[in-house]
Amino acid sequence: MSKQVLITGGAGFIGSNFVHHWCQNHDGRVVVLDILGYAGNKANVSDLMEQARFRLVEGDICDGELVAALLAEEEIDTVIHFAAESHVDRSILGPAAFVQTNVVGTFTLLEAFRNHWQAKDKPADFRFLHVSTDEVYGSLEADDPAFTETTPYAPNSPYSASKAGSDHLARAYFHTYGMPTLITNCSNNYGPYQFPEKLIPLMCLNILLGKPLPVYGDGQNVRDWLHVSDHCSAIDTVLHKANPGDVYNIGGNNQVKNLDIVHQLCDLMGELAGDLPQPPRELITFVTDRPGHDRRYAMDISKIEKDLEWTPAYNFETGLRQTVAWYLENRDWWQPLLSEEYRGYYDNLYGDR
Ligand code: NAD
Ligand code: TYD
């Protein structure tokens, strides 16, 4: 039987990619709850608006009454929870919104889902999948082994601390109430529809606009990059194959230094963009490091590979090339995002750096 899903944050980067993935692969009702804040964009799901199965609700996950009403009236059996404040730099500038949305918002959803699930006599096929990050595990040195699902939590930024808090709540709802929660911790995503504040789209746009490419610190920080389509297929796999209470790491087996990515983006842009205001590599500017900047993330994904037979499909070189081409072909998507608010944020973060 098809699932009736509530997807929170479904107008954001990963959420909207997932909504499309879901609609292409599964039947059943799809309800998106998104506050449509700076990173939530109606345009990301506008092509689905005509489908009778699809509904976009503009609202806050912290609004318990709204969430309870949606769960009941849409007869939701599955929540896939993406909604979050997601950018580390913004969490350093203003952590309160992160505690509110990521901790209080997740708690509100869990509590509403618990009431809904209990009112229906705890159906065994209900699921609450909480989407989280590798950043909850803290920072690795160059030679440390990759994070596993049993690595102790050691979050270092207000963002990762708030995600860690929400992970613990999802875990506790399984252990205390037997509520069928699942947790996925994923590495850095890249691909179409990523808001331009994050490393890869920010560099692409700055190259096109002839603006400096701000590399934090020495540029030697390492992230494990995964194409967003692979993240979507992994979440789908966990949802359908994992047991309630399970936790899975998701990653790309693909550790890259920031400066190497910036170099690759400069070269790809040089090749694909045609005329550019300035040779891209000349725009690289080393700026003051991010406070508390985690040095390295790396994910051990052997559990999901073995248990659920999921493995990433994208190769980083092909995925990055496709992503750069997407930003070149979709100026109409990103140009409106460079709003007054965004410029204010940008000047605040990068102005005196
Ligand atoms: P995003 O910032 O692009 O999207 C977040 C979405 O949540 C936006 O549409 C926003 O409007 C919505 N939202 C924010 N606050 C809300 C609220 N109070 N109520 C309802 N909606 C709200 O983020 P993303 O990169 O798509 O990340 C999605 C999820 O995946 C997050 O939980 C994040 O922690 C996690 N994650 C992201 C990455 C990554 O590399 N981007 C990696 C691992 C995990
Ligand atoms: P980001 O995309 O913000 O993801 P996260 O902090 O969640 O890993 O940043 C990825 C890496 O790129 C991180 O090490 C910080 C670095 N970075 C820069 O060097 N310059 C920038 O302008 C940005 C946004 C990030």
Side-chain angles (χ1 to χ4, degrees):
M1 228 182 53
S2 45
K3 294 179 184 297
Q4 312 275 89
V5 301
L6 175 67
I7 301 178
T8 71
F13 164 47
I14 306 172
S16 64
N17 275 281
F18 184 80
V19 170
H20 284 94
H21 164 95
W22 188 267
C23 289
Q24 278 155 21
N25 291 284
H26 305 286
D27 296 325
R29 188 83 173 137
V30 176
V31 180
V32 165
L33 174 60
D34 198 299
I35 202 165
L36 300 180
Y38 80 91
N41 188 346
K42 242 185 187 167
N44 294 358
V45 291
S46 55
D47 57 319
L48 300 169
M49 296 295 192
E50 287 152 26
Q51 296 189 21
R53 67 184 295 205
F54 180 79
R55 178 178 172 198
L56 171 64
V57 178
E58 182 173 351
D60 191 339
I61 56 166
C62 300
D63 182 346
E65 272 178 35
L66 170 67
V67 175
L70 281 178
L71 294 174
E73 80 195 28
E74 296 286 358
E75 299 188 5
I76 298 297
D77 51 52
T78 302
V79 172
I80 305 146
H81 173 35
F82 293 94
E85 290 291 338
S86 69
H87 189 39
V88 173
D89 290 319
R90 287 194 193 245
S91 84
I92 296 167
L93 295 172
F98 287 71
V99 175
Q100 182 62 21
T101 287
N102 299 358
V103 183
V104 178
T106 301
F107 165 70
T108 306
L109 287 170
L110 286 165
E111 193 58 1
F113 193 74
R114 177 169 79 89
N115 290 328
H116 175 63
W117 169 72
Q118 287 176 337
K120 302 240 176 218
D121 288 333
K122 308 183 180 178
D125 60 343
F126 274 35
R127 293 288 182 275
F128 185 112
L129 191 148
H130 173 65
V131 178
S132 192
T133 165
D134 58 357
E135 304 193 23
V136 297
Y137 298 123
S139 180
L140 297 169
E141 295 301 326
D143 297 328
D144 288 341
F147 302 128
T148 72
E149 288 80 356
T150 55
T151 300
Y153 274 31
N156 291 319
S157 71
Y159 164 65
S160 54
S162 65
K163 291 298 291 188
S166 62
D167 292 12
H168 290 325
L169 284 167
R171 174 192 157 92
Y173 270 66
F174 171 72
H175 284 274
T176 304
Y177 304 111
M179 195 173 100
T181 63
L182 297 161
I183 301 172
T184 54
N185 295 92
C186 188
S187 62
N188 284 59
N189 284 215
Y190 70 98
Y193 297 99
Q194 187 164 33
F195 191 81
E197 66 191 353
K198 303 278 169 67
L199 178 73
I200 289 176
L202 184 139
M203 294 297 165
C204 290
L205 270 49
N206 283 14
I207 291 169
L208 281 175
L209 302 170
K211 289 172 65 174
L213 308 180
V215 174
Y216 298 166
D218 60 4
Q220 299 302 302
N221 301 65
V222 171
R223 299 290 183 264
D224 171 5
W225 292 93
L226 179 75
H227 193 277
V228 63
S229 299
D230 280 329
H231 190 187
C232 294
S233 75
I235 290 172
D236 192 335
T237 303
V238 171
L239 196 55
H240 286 93
K241 291 189 171 178
N243 295 312
D246 275 347
V247 177
Y248 281 99
N249 280 357
I250 302 168
N253 281 333
N254 176 43
Q255 295 171 44
V256 195
K257 290 181 179 144
N258 291 343
L259 189 57
D260 291 343
I261 294 197
V262 174
H263 284 151
Q264 287 182 62
L265 291 171
C266 289
D267 296 350
L268 278 169
M269 275 288 177
E271 182 191 330
L272 300 176
D275 276 350
L276 288 169
Q278 226 180 299
R281 285 196 184 219
E282 288 177 12
L283 296 169
I284 294 174
T285 310
F286 290 92
V287 300
T288 308
D289 209 352
R290 173 188 277 173
H293 196 179
D294 285 337
R295 193 63 177 168
R296 172 175 165 250
Y297 304 138
M299 287 297 247
D300 180 334
I301 58 166
S302 51
K303 184 178 172 193
I304 190 169
E305 288 186 317
K306 277 198 206 107
D307 285 9
L308 309 185
E309 295 172 331
W310 174 87
T311 189
Y314 270 79
N315 152 294
F316 188 56
E317 248 182 68
T318 324
L320 206 59
R321 176 176 286 272
Q322 180 228 56
T323 303
V324 168
W326 189 87
Y327 280 90
L328 286 172
E329 285 157 15
N330 289 278
R331 290 170 198 245
D332 290 355
W333 179 83
W334 55 259
Q335 252 151 359
L337 304 179
L338 307 182
S339 61
E340 194 105 335
E341 191 277 337
Y342 183 71
R343 271 184 251 275
Y345 155 78
Y346 197 95
D347 292 345
N348 190 11
L349 187 68
Y350 295 99
D352 301 326
R353 214 152 170 159

